[in-house]
Amino acid sequence: MKRIVTIQDISCVGKCSLTVALPVISACSVEAAVIPTAVLSAHTAFKGFTFCDLTDEIEPVAEHWKKESIKFDAIYTGYLGSFRQLELMTKFFDDFKTEDNIIFIDPVMGDHGTLYPGFTQEFADSMARLCAKADVIVPNLTEACFMLHEEYIESGYSEEYIKSILKKLAALGCKNAVLTGVSFEDGKLGVMAYNKEKDEFSSYYTERISASFHGTGDVFSSACVGALMRGLSLEGALKTAANYTVESIKATVKEENHNWYGVNFEEAIPFLIEEIKNNK
Ligand code: PXL
């Protein structure tokens, strides 16, 4: 059985970061180890959230694992909240990267052209340096534009533009750059990927559902890294993750009085398991 370690916050209510990554990775039949980087009462879209920083726990946890010779098939980072956490991730990668495992970075920082509360351009610059170490990075266009100092364009861009962004992301140093939330056609939304070694692009599009929810990026990334661990190619994993995210959104909007803060990814878990089988 494969083992992923995922390093991100736990927002106790809100269905994002670890409360998504743990169940989704488990649903993929992959072991999920965690380092919670902070405990929040709820994610940062809620007003008045509490925040308890756990940065000081990261090194002792990692040291214990080193003593126990614990190995991981994937290291998956999501929302990281400080420069020091980025620094500690660099060290963690150096300590736990092997010839066979992968580093998967979701550089969670913002959406729709703006950064989430607390993030700055300088943080995006440091995140860009961390991304150099990754096998796969999965920013959305907002995060990519901040990391590359590019102007954000909401829509109406060309395929050539997205390809140029992907090449610039790969030039940061990662092996595969993936852009999520890409759309060239009304009603369609998807992902485009670039493999630097092969100099090849790939893409996958689904129907666009006109509702925006928190945590969909975490649903996507967790399913993607889980599917990779189940032996799917990156293309197969991206298709699986995109379809699962859409299915989770559909399950959410189907429910009367559904919550505003996260998606019903739980209801779509049987679908995810089928997708992993179908896209192998
Ligand atoms: O879904 C990304 C995310 C993760 N963690 C926290 C967040 C967000 C998005 O806003 O606030 C704490």
Side-chain angles (χ1 to χ4, degrees):
M1 192 177 181
K2 300 281 186 179
R3 180 189 297 132
I4 294 173
V5 59
T6 181
I7 304 154
Q8 45 189 320
D9 71 280
I10 182 153
S11 292
C12 301
V13 164
K15 300 215 256 189
C16 70
S17 42
L18 279 186
T19 62
V20 167
L22 269 170
V24 171
I25 291 168
S26 301
C28 294
S29 297
V30 175
E31 181 180 337
V34 301
I35 302 184
T37 53
V39 180
L40 290 83
S41 54
H43 63 56
T44 59
F46 284 83
K47 283 200 188 75
F49 61 87
T50 70
F51 181 91
C52 172
D53 185 62
L54 296 176
T55 307
D56 287 343
E57 286 302 305
I58 296 174
E59 269 186 310
V61 168
E63 285 307 314
H64 179 220
W65 289 347
K66 275 200 281 182
K67 278 201 198 101
E68 292 292 318
S69 303
I70 292 170
K71 304 266 186 291
F72 302 103
D73 299 292
I75 304 166
Y76 158 35
T77 65
Y79 183 102
L80 297 168
S82 66
F83 289 97
R84 181 139 177 265
Q85 285 184 359
L86 294 179
E87 259 170 48
L88 288 170
M89 285 309 100
T90 308
K91 181 165 188 301
F92 190 90
F93 293 164
D94 291 343
D95 287 345
F96 288 91
K97 175 76 187 141
T98 66
E99 295 226 321
D100 307 318
N101 68 7
I102 64 159
I103 294 174
F104 186 104
I105 298 183
D106 185 353
V108 178
M109 290 180 289
D111 208 356
H112 305 296
T114 46
L115 294 173
Y116 295 134
F119 290 107
T120 60
Q121 180 61 58
E122 291 65 44
F123 188 88
D125 296 340
S126 291
M127 182 63 94
R129 285 190 286 277
L130 187 69
C131 283
K133 296 185 170 283
D135 294 277
V136 183
I137 64 168
V138 290
N140 58 32
L141 194 51
T142 301
E143 292 152 350
C145 286
F146 273 99
M147 289 197 291
L148 298 173
H149 290 251
E150 292 277 337
E151 199 186 328
Y152 173 76
I153 308 173
E154 176 81 37
S155 59
Y157 42 71
S158 67
E159 200 170 301
E160 283 320 302
Y161 169 74
I162 293 298
K163 284 183 173 172
S164 77
I165 294 280
L166 281 166
K167 283 200 165 181
K168 286 179 193 170
L169 285 170
L172 294 175
C174 58
K175 293 195 177 126
N176 296 275
V178 176
L179 260 180
T180 62
V182 169
S183 178
F184 302 113
E185 211 185 306
D186 282 350
K188 295 256 183 244
L189 187 70
V191 289
M192 194 177 239
Y194 177 62
N195 179 300
K196 194 162 59 184
E197 204 176 279
K198 295 188 191 150
D199 192 25
E200 271 174 18
F201 292 96
S202 62
S203 56
Y204 181 73
Y205 301 95
T206 62
E207 65 185 290
R208 179 200 274 271
I209 301 166
S210 57
S212 174
F213 288 98
H214 259 75
T216 48
D218 302 332
V219 170
F220 177 88
S221 294
S222 304
C224 184
V225 68
L228 285 173
M229 292 298 101
R230 291 292 306 279
L232 274 68
S233 64
L234 182 59
E235 286 71 27
L238 292 173
K239 182 177 176 199
T240 299
N243 288 343
Y244 174 53
T245 307
V246 169
E247 198 67 16
S248 301
I249 298 171
K250 280 187 182 165
T252 315
V253 294
K254 203 171 68 195
E255 188 182 30
E256 235 182 286
N257 302 322
H258 59 78
N259 73 54
W260 59 270
Y261 53 76
V263 288
N264 293 13
F265 70 90
E266 304 91 335
E267 282 183 285
I269 281 175
F271 176 90
L272 170 62
I273 294 166
E274 278 305 301
E275 278 291 295
I276 289 176
K277 276 191 220 148
N278 295 339
N279 293 324
K280 257 197 175 167

